[in-house]
Amino acid sequence: MCFWKSPLWRKYSCTTMSKEVSGMVILKYELKRHRTYILGWAIALAVCIFLMTPTYYSFLDAASVELFETMGTTDFYRSVGVSMEYLTSSLGIYGFLTSFFMIASGVFGMHFGISVHTRECTEGTSEYLFTKPFPRKTIYWAKALTVLIGVVVVGAAYLLASFLAMAMFRSGTPWGEFFLIALSLTLVTLFFAAMGLMVGILFPRNRSPLLTAGLVVFVEYCITSFSNIISNRAISFLSPYSFFGAAKISETGFYDMTYLGWGVLLVTLFLVLSYGVFLKKDIQFRS
């Protein structure tokens, strides 16, 4: 007799299975459950960067020197971590656009990380998942791997669309620097996804994960903007948007190792904390 009410759970788990097989069952189920969401974000970001890159470069080519001088006197470009000198370089516009698409990808990553856990409580399926033969650590890592795959798919789609846009519409691109800037979007998304996993486990009955993700990402971006304007490096460590600035990558040829190490430490901390809490915390069933 099969105990699952969900048709997908019935299809994948109505047999006795090993831990490895059960992990794959959950992973396949979660990927099928979220595939539309993942593909939607991947296609949206890919289409936007592909269309906007040649548009903004055309604007750059047609702009006058006086316009650049006027734009360079504002604090806006300092707040996003670019200068007018960098903006007029071969990758300036692309780095500028990527800094804004990181906001969207950050919302995706954190919302996905939160909702992959909160949906079990808000949709009333937690009791079927957590009281049946799947160990909690298997459930945790299957869900975490689902989020990781989603982040990689979105990041790969953005990278591919960016590469096509730059190859087709912009000559003389320094490809090493380009790949570092494009990859930084995936790294920022991964950071927020790990944070989202932690938030989703700590607050499993959150009924507004998208609002939560949007607020957190907005605050983090404001922290980076503020630290850029006042030139305070200490504050910048509070936001992942400070870790992968396009202008800094262009200047040094690689990521800032201090920021990179700090980011890896924080992601590890988020995962360890969420894993420990997930194994011990009482599961909130139907609300």
Side-chain angles (χ1 to χ4, degrees), residues 49-51 53-54 160-170 175:
I49 190 62
F50 183 80
L51 295 178
T53 297
L160 178 60
S162 300
F163 176 79
L164 291 176
M166 296 300 292
M168 293 172 62
F169 302 111
R170 200 70 180 175
W175 293 111

Side-chain angles (χ1 to χ4, degrees), residues 94-249:
Y94 177 73
F96 176 73
L97 291 175
T98 298
S99 69
F100 284 101
F101 281 114
M102 282 181 182
I103 300 176
S105 68
V107 172
F108 159 76
M110 186 155 192
H111 178 244
F112 194 15
I114 295 174
S115 62
V116 77
H117 285 289
T118 58
R119 284 186 67 175
E120 303 296 347
C121 293
T122 58
E123 295 181 3
T125 58
S126 56
E127 61 183 285
Y128 302 110
L129 178 60
F130 291 100
T131 62
K132 300 307 178 183
F134 299 142
R136 284 200 183 188
K137 62 180 180 180
T138 301
I139 297 172
Y140 175 86
W141 288 116
K143 286 180 174 290
L145 186 56
T146 300
V147 175
L148 175 61
I149 292 174
V151 170
V152 170
V153 169
V154 171
Y158 184 85
L159 174 60
L160 178 60
S162 300
F163 176 79
L164 291 176
M166 296 300 292
M168 293 172 62
F169 302 111
R170 200 70 180 175
S171 60
T173 301
W175 293 111
E177 182 184 329
F178 164 80
F179 283 112
L180 288 174
I181 295 174
L183 182 61
S184 63
L185 179 134
T186 304
L187 297 177
V188 168
T189 309
L190 182 62
F191 181 95
F192 281 110
M195 184 187 293
L197 285 172
M198 181 184 67
V199 172
I201 290 172
L202 292 176
F203 306 99
R205 302 181 75 173
N206 183 350
R207 294 184 178 276
S208 303
L210 183 59
L211 178 61
T212 302
L215 288 175
V216 172
V217 169
F218 177 74
V219 170
E220 293 286 359
Y221 198 84
C222 287
I223 290 174
T224 293
S225 298
F226 181 68
S227 68
N228 288 335
I229 291 174
I230 67 173
S231 301
N232 189 313
R233 182 176 170 84
I235 297 177
S236 66
F237 281 91
L238 300 176
S239 170
Y241 291 112
S242 303
F243 303 169
F244 308 103
K248 290 293 184 182
I249 294 174

Side-chain angles (χ1 to χ4, degrees), residues 15-34:
T15 56
T16 302
M17 58 195 73
S18 65
K19 292 181 180 180
E20 292 77 11
V21 175
S22 65
M24 289 302 299
V25 166
I26 300 172
L27 177 62
K28 289 170 64 177
Y29 169 76
E30 292 291 345
L31 287 175
K32 188 169 185 178
R33 190 184 197 185
H34 296 283

